[in-house]
């Protein structure tokens, strides 16, 4: 490949949800008694998730992990075992002082389960903004292990909400494998959590400029990379070329995979690429999904963003990671800590396959 951009030869993308060490205990979690056994262990911790939100600890620094007590709640899902060293210092110290059973069962590790906390329609949305971490908004703020646990919990709980009935015969299904499978008591069909592959692409030309698009559904100053679902019967590379041609009118001549990110809204796996085009002058927005496309040099993009003339996707998104990967470093936003203006919760219920809004559609 003729290298036109240093970004093609750099290491993997810096993504908030990766880089953790969570042992999912695949063999153990298939045991019928595993979840009940884990629930009884004094060291086990519970992540209570509403949509894509989780309550913060009292100091606001990390997602709250509560001890497990009482009856095992229906719908509990096993997430995995986390090294104690990766947990918040106070929790790790707490566990070190706990009973021998903890250290005997899980030397250095803590089992974490997820429980869905129903929406409280009377809750104060503005207060929620402050007292919770939202995966879509805050993933980049979280420690890798916390982002990993929350991503996993949001994904698997969304699957359960959408899969109460057997796809083969329509009977109500039963949860098995500590929350990782649903079985039909009528016809025996088994269903597993689904993930939909989507491609997301940073397009560069031979001068190493970056092409970004402003989607019709965002405000006109917001720019992002190009994305779409892999269609039936299509390879990932074909999907990259098709999406870029459809949305921006240019032909991809080279493409390189750079990394992936789970984006559980409700179940996408974003496959990040950098693509090279030869026909930069032909770039044109499709006007259907993309309002406007524009080529940027590194200096232009940094300057326009810092001045607030354009907005980039949130730091939690792979789109931002792709853009900064091309740029060769962090790009500062005009406002250092912008917060969303409106609650995100209505969109958590949305099962639309349109991830583009999710990728770029935060309302900062
Ligand atoms: Zn069935």
């Amino acid at each position: 490949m003729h290298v036109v951009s240093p970004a093609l030869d750099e290491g993997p993308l810096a993504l908030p949800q990766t880089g953790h060490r969570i042992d999912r205990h695949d063999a153990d979690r298939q045991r019928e008694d595993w979840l009940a056994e884990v629930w009884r262990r004094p060291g086990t911790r519970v992540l209570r998730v509403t949509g894509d939100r989780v309550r913060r600890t009292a100091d606001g620094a990390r997602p709250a992990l509560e001890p497990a007590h009482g009856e095992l709640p229906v719908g509990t899902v096993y997430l995995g075992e986390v090294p104690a060293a990766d947990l918040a210092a106070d929790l790790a110290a707490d566990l070190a002082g706990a009973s021998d059973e903890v250290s005997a069962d899980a030397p250095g590790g803590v089992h974490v389960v997820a429980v869905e906390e129903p929406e409280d329609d009377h809750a104060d949305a503005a207060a929620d903004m402050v007292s919770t971490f939202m995966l879509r908004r805050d993933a980049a703020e979280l420690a890798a292990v916390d982002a990993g646990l929350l991503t996993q919990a949001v994904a698997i709980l969304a699957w359960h909400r959408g899969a109460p009935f057997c796809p083969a015969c329509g009977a109500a299904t039963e949860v098995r494998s500590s929350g990782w499978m649903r079985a039909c008591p009528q016809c025996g069909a088994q269903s597993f959590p689904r993930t939909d592959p989507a491609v997301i692409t940073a397009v560069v030309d031979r001068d190493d400029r970056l092409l970004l698009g402003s989607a019709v559904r965002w405000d006109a100053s917001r720019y992002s990379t190009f994305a779409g679902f892999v269609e039936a019967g299509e390879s990932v590379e074909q999907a990259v070329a098709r999406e870029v041609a459809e949305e921006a009118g240019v032909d991809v001549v080279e493409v390189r995979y750079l990394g992936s990110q789970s984006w559980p809204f409700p179940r996408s796996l974003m496959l990040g690429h950098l693509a090279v085009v030869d026909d930069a002058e032909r770039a044109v927005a499709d006007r259907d999904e993309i309002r406007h496309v524009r080529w940027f040099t590194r200096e232009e993009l940094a300057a326009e963003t810092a001045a607030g003339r354009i907005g980039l996707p949130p730091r939690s998104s792979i789109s931002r990671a792709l853009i900064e990967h091309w740029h060769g470093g962090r790009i500062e936003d005009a406002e250092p800590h912008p917060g969303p203006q409106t609650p995100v919760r209505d969109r958590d219920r949305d099962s639309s396959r349109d991830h583009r809004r999710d990728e770029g559609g935060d309302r900062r």
Side-chain angles (χ1 to χ4, degrees), residues 18 48 53 67 116 160 176 180 227 232 263 270 316 357:
T18 56
R48 298 188 182 277
R53 309 192 302 285
E116 175 143 53
H160 283 292
R176 304 273 167 78
W180 288 88
W263 195 250
M270 307 303 296
S316 57
R357 174 187 53 202

Side-chain angles (χ1 to χ4, degrees), residues 324-346:
E324 294 191 339
H325 187 84
W326 163 82
H327 190 260
R330 186 179 167 98
I331 300 174
E332 295 303 332
D333 294 309
E335 297 165 79
H337 299 290
Q341 303 303 304
T342 50
V344 188
R345 64 173 52 174
D346 55 323

Side-chain angles (χ1 to χ4, degrees), residues 166 168-171 184 186-189:
C166 174
C169 77
C184 176
Q186 194 159 293
C187 75

Side-chain angles (χ1 to χ4, degrees), residues 7 11 21 26 52 54 59 97 109-110 116 124 129 142 188 218 222 225 234 246 251 259 266 274 284 330 336:
R21 298 171 294 165
D26 176 64
D52 83 329
V54 63
D59 66 1
V110 172
E116 175 143 53
D124 178 346
M129 288 288 172
L142 294 169
W218 310 333
R222 179 169 288 279
T225 51
E234 193 173 45
E246 281 174 8
D251 286 329
L274 192 134
V284 60
R330 186 179 167 98

Side-chain angles (χ1 to χ4, degrees), residues 35-340:
L35 202 51
E37 188 187 312
V38 164
W39 186 261
R40 285 194 302 269
R41 294 184 188 188
T44 293
R45 288 297 181 270
V46 185
L47 192 67
R48 298 188 182 277
V49 180
T50 304
D52 83 329
R53 309 192 302 285
V54 63
R55 220 161 33 73
R56 293 177 187 246
T57 48
D59 66 1
R62 297 189 71 164
L65 286 171
E66 301 168 0
H69 47 65
E71 291 293 302
L72 174 67
V74 174
T76 302
V77 174
Y78 181 73
L79 295 183
E81 182 183 354
V82 176
D86 292 352
L87 295 169
D90 53 346
L91 177 54
D94 191 26
L95 291 166
S99 72
D100 290 343
E101 196 185 337
V102 178
S103 49
D105 275 343
V110 172
H111 294 283
V112 181
V113 301
V115 172
E116 175 143 53
E117 194 85 345
E119 289 280 358
D120 176 359
D121 290 334
H122 303 292
D124 178 346
D128 256 15
M129 288 288 172
V130 179
S131 64
T132 62
F133 282 110
M134 298 180 184
L135 181 61
R136 211 189 294 252
R137 180 189 69 182
D138 302 322
E141 266 183 56
L142 294 169
V145 68
D146 294 337
L149 289 168
L150 184 56
T151 303
Q152 197 192 146
V154 169
I156 189 82
L157 294 172
W159 174 64
H160 283 292
R161 280 198 299 277
F165 301 109
C166 174
C169 77
T173 50
E174 296 167 354
V175 179
R176 304 273 167 78
S177 299
S178 311
W180 288 88
M181 194 255 276
R182 297 185 75 103
C184 176
Q186 194 159 293
C187 75
Q190 299 179 336
S191 40
F192 298 88
R194 290 271 314 279
T195 298
D196 294 339
V199 290
I200 182 157
T201 309
V203 176
V204 299
D205 69 1
R206 294 286 177 191
D207 297 324
D208 201 16
R209 293 181 302 167
L210 178 69
L211 183 67
L212 296 178
S214 175
V216 170
R217 55 168 50 93
W218 310 333
D219 64 88
S221 65
R222 179 169 288 279
Y223 282 82
S224 189
T225 51
F226 302 94
F229 284 100
V230 179
E231 293 190 346
E234 193 173 45
S235 73
V236 167
E237 293 79 3
Q238 287 171 323
V240 168
R242 177 182 53 75
E243 282 291 339
V244 170
E246 281 174 8
E247 295 184 354
V250 282
D251 286 329
V252 169
V253 292
E254 297 174 7
V255 59
R256 186 164 298 176
Y257 170 74
L258 290 178
S260 66
Q261 179 188 47
S262 170
W263 195 250
F265 307 106
R267 60 180 187 209
S268 297
L269 175 64
M270 307 303 296
L271 304 163
H273 293 80
L274 192 134
V276 181
V277 302
D278 277 334
D279 52 354
E281 71 289 349
R282 293 183 54 198
V284 60
D286 66 4
R287 295 279 174 177
D288 177 29
E289 295 177 81
I290 306 294
R291 173 193 293 119
H292 179 65
V293 296
R294 180 175 163 191
W295 289 102
F296 293 91
T297 64
R298 286 181 176 73
E299 295 69 28
E300 283 166 356
L301 188 64
E304 297 273 290
T305 306
R309 285 192 291 273
I310 70 162
L312 295 179
R315 292 199 185 280
S316 57
S317 69
I318 190 171
S319 184
R320 182 64 171 249
L322 283 166
I323 292 168
E324 294 191 339
H325 187 84
W326 163 82
H327 190 260
R330 186 179 167 98
I331 300 174
E332 295 303 332
D333 294 309
E335 297 165 79
H337 299 290

